[in-house]
Amino acid sequence: MAKALLEMRNITKEFPGVKALNDVTLTVEEGEIHALCGENGAGKSTLMNVLSGIYGYGTYSGDIIYDGEICKFQKIKDSEKLGIVIIHQELALVPLLSIAENMFLGNERGSKSKIDWTETFHKADELLAQVGLKESSHTLIKDIGVGKQQLVEIAKALGKKVRLLILDEPTASLNETESKHLLDLMLEFKKQGVTSIIISHKLNEISYVADKITVIRDGAVIKTLDKKVENFSEDTIISAMVGRDITDRFPKRESHVGDVCLEVKDWSVDHPIFDGIKVCDNVNFNLRKGEVLGISGLMGAGRTELAMSIFGRSYGANIRGKIFLNGKEIELPTVKSAINSGIAYVTEDRKGNGLILTESITKNTTAAKPEKISNHYVINFEKEKQVAEDMAKEMHTKCASVLEDVGNLSGGNMQKVLLGKWLFADPDILILDEPTRGIDVGAKYEIYCIINRMVAEGKSVILISSEMPEVLGMSDRIYVMNEGRMIAEMDAKEANQEKIMACIINSCK
């Protein structure tokens, strides 16, 4: 029998008005990959924050036993000294520093008085080779994509002589190729004796990589599945996660698609920093009333850049082309003009651009259209709070109060607040950019139902997603985008993953 590297016994953690963890016990054996599953707000990240010392000893009850010793971590440095390293979903890298500088930030090579830069860059290059990242350690973080940044975080962990690696939603921002590379890397580390805990909502990836799965619901452990003796089917995991069977991942709806409501013609956008690079190249597409229009493509295809440039020119330089709304050409020079024209954009970056984390759920909910709860520019605070409470109830947002800061919520509940903010603005056209990234299957289903309800009311949705099953399952019509160009259009009933990928591959020739 394998040795238990980690035991968390009877862990209970409370926040004001919420018991986030309730008597949780978790055992992780040495050399295994152990997955944590559960709905957003179930307590997965909280449990790992307790383990890593982010929530220090004394702020919770229960015991952490690591390598046979009771540990009382007061800060993250304490756990890192023992080789426990956590990589969060929102990566903690400094954009304007080099890869090497980021990798050894707080863990500098050299003496107390002087950094040995030769050793720093040499060691960084060694670790980058170990994770299969072919980039110079002198490269600035801002000049590499999210997938490569994730590998930098893993290389950084290796530099801390990691024994227990904790990955919180590591593939949420990655495409399929990048995700497969990262998962294979975990399996390789396992061969080298590294133990891993992975938090993920992508059940196919968990089934591929994990030896055991512990399901947490409402702050308590529901069950632990062992690959050696039990079935790792997605239905089994989902049922344990949400307490019910989800027989159809995508809720059915009747399509009643009407006339064209939005048309974009000859739309080109240049990169805002690098001269001579087009992020959108002569793009043409249209959207109909009551339609869910999917835009598929690999990361970097230009989908987000297209959406943001249309939404009040909030991204890009030298933007040219024409936008027609209900047959009439319009100009959308600002975000405010786009909102006033009935267009809303739910960003993929909820923490950076979508929400004000230090403000309440209430303030975030009404931020896009404050005039709806104002009288002659004076906010009616009672009405504002009631609107937020109604929206939180409709979205099934888990929170102690709508006066709670958004930054205290789980990722999925933040996403619900962000979506609620734009639903309150009552748009005719809603652009959803990766709306279900990093959230659980139950929350996804709720968002899909909201999309269906909107189009049933005659509104229109543009759905941008890196998850092809999501685009195929929710769309009426699909455009495929690659390298800044629209390369294909197809009816969703005739589309499949192979056909979409073939279009992308053929366009690269």
Side-chain angles (χ1 to χ4, degrees), residues 1 4 64 126 215 228 236 281 320 359 449 489 495:
M1 184 177 175
I64 297 172
E126 282 185 357
V215 178
K228 293 175 184 174
T236 302
D281 186 3
R320 57 263 186 217
E359 286 285 5
C449 288
E489 176 189 356

Side-chain angles (χ1 to χ4, degrees), residues 83-87 153-154 157-158 162-167 186 189 194-198:
I84 300 172
V85 182
I86 184 168
I87 299 175
E153 282 278 25
I154 293 173
L158 294 178
V162 62
R163 286 188 66 198
L164 175 59
L165 180 63
I166 305 164
L167 295 154
M186 289 179 68
F189 291 158
V194 176
T195 305
S196 298
I197 298 174
I198 178 172

Side-chain angles (χ1 to χ4, degrees), residues 40 89-90 146 169-175 178 201-202 297-300 303-304 345-350 410-416 418 432-440 443-444 447-448 463-467 470:
N40 289 107
Q89 184 177 350
E90 277 76 26
V146 178
E169 296 290 350
T171 66
S173 300
L174 308 186
N175 62 35
E178 291 167 333
H201 292 115
K202 296 184 178 180
L298 302 179
M299 194 172 291
R303 297 164 302 164
T304 293
Y345 170 65
V346 178
T347 175
E348 64 174 342
D349 183 9
R350 55 182 172 247
S410 68
N413 286 302
M414 282 187 194
Q415 190 70 10
K416 290 178 182 179
L418 178 59
L432 297 172
D433 194 351
E434 305 286 0
T436 64
R437 173 176 288 167
I439 65 175
D440 62 77
K444 283 183 179 182
I447 288 174
Y448 298 151
L463 174 62
I464 298 169
S465 177
S466 297
E467 295 188 31
E470 183 169 82

Side-chain angles (χ1 to χ4, degrees), residues 141-191:
I141 288 294
K142 73 177 183 63
D143 294 330
I144 62 174
V146 178
K148 291 181 178 180
Q149 289 181 29
Q150 187 72 264
L151 293 177
V152 170
E153 282 278 25
I154 293 173
K156 182 178 175 180
L158 294 178
K160 295 174 181 175
K161 297 181 180 176
V162 62
R163 286 188 66 198
L164 175 59
L165 180 63
I166 305 164
L167 295 154
D168 192 349
E169 296 290 350
T171 66
S173 300
L174 308 186
N175 62 35
E176 285 188 26
T177 304
E178 291 167 333
S179 297
K180 179 70 163 53
H181 176 63
L182 190 146
L183 295 172
D184 286 339
L185 204 55
M186 289 179 68
L187 293 170
E188 184 58 37
F189 291 158
K190 177 184 170 181
K191 292 177 185 175

Side-chain angles (χ1 to χ4, degrees), residues 308-492:
M308 291 181 69
S309 62
I310 291 169
F311 185 63
R313 297 176 178 248
S314 50
Y315 178 90
N318 191 25
I319 300 171
R320 57 263 186 217
K322 295 180 179 181
I323 299 176
F324 297 86
L325 194 61
N326 297 317
K328 182 181 178 183
E329 186 176 353
I330 59 166
E331 293 287 337
L332 301 175
T334 64
V335 167
K336 189 67 177 174
S337 66
I339 294 171
N340 289 340
S341 297
I343 300 172
Y345 170 65
V346 178
T347 175
E348 64 174 342
D349 183 9
R350 55 182 172 247
K351 284 193 172 183
N353 297 325
L355 298 167
I356 306 170
L357 302 184
T358 54
E359 286 285 5
S360 66
I361 295 169
T362 297
K363 293 295 181 189
N364 276 279
T365 301
T366 59
K369 272 266 178 107
E371 58 267 30
K372 288 182 71 175
I373 43 90
S374 304
N375 186 16
H376 300 294
Y377 302 102
V378 177
I379 292 175
N380 183 331
F381 294 110
E382 292 271 337
K383 186 176 181 181
E384 183 181 43
K385 185 170 180 284
Q386 188 60 55
V387 161
E389 287 175 345
D390 291 345
M391 190 61 73
K393 186 176 180 181
E394 181 182 344
M395 303 295 293
H396 300 111
T397 307
K398 290 182 181 177
C399 59
S401 160
V402 292
L403 301 179
E404 183 179 357
D405 283 354
V406 165
N408 294 335
L409 301 179
S410 68
N413 286 302
M414 282 187 194
Q415 190 70 10
K416 290 178 182 179
V417 174
L418 178 59
L419 192 54
K421 161 185 163 181
W422 288 110
L423 291 181
F424 173 70
D426 195 26
D428 295 315
I429 296 169
L430 183 62
I431 305 172
L432 297 172
D433 194 351
E434 305 286 0
T436 64
R437 173 176 288 167
I439 65 175
D440 62 77
V441 288
K444 283 183 179 182
Y445 192 87
E446 290 171 358
I447 288 174
Y448 298 151
C449 288
I450 291 164
I451 292 171
N452 285 354
R453 191 171 71 240
M454 284 191 69
V455 294
E457 293 169 358
K459 299 178 186 296
S460 306
V461 172
I462 297 174
L463 174 62
I464 298 169
S465 177
S466 297
E467 295 188 31
M468 286 193 201
E470 183 169 82
V471 172
L472 292 164
M474 287 300 299
S475 303
D476 296 296
R477 190 164 50 102
I478 297 169
Y479 281 102
V480 183
M481 197 169 180
N482 192 44
E483 296 178 345
R485 295 176 291 111
M486 287 295 187
I487 58 171
E489 176 189 356
M490 57 188 78
D491 191 294

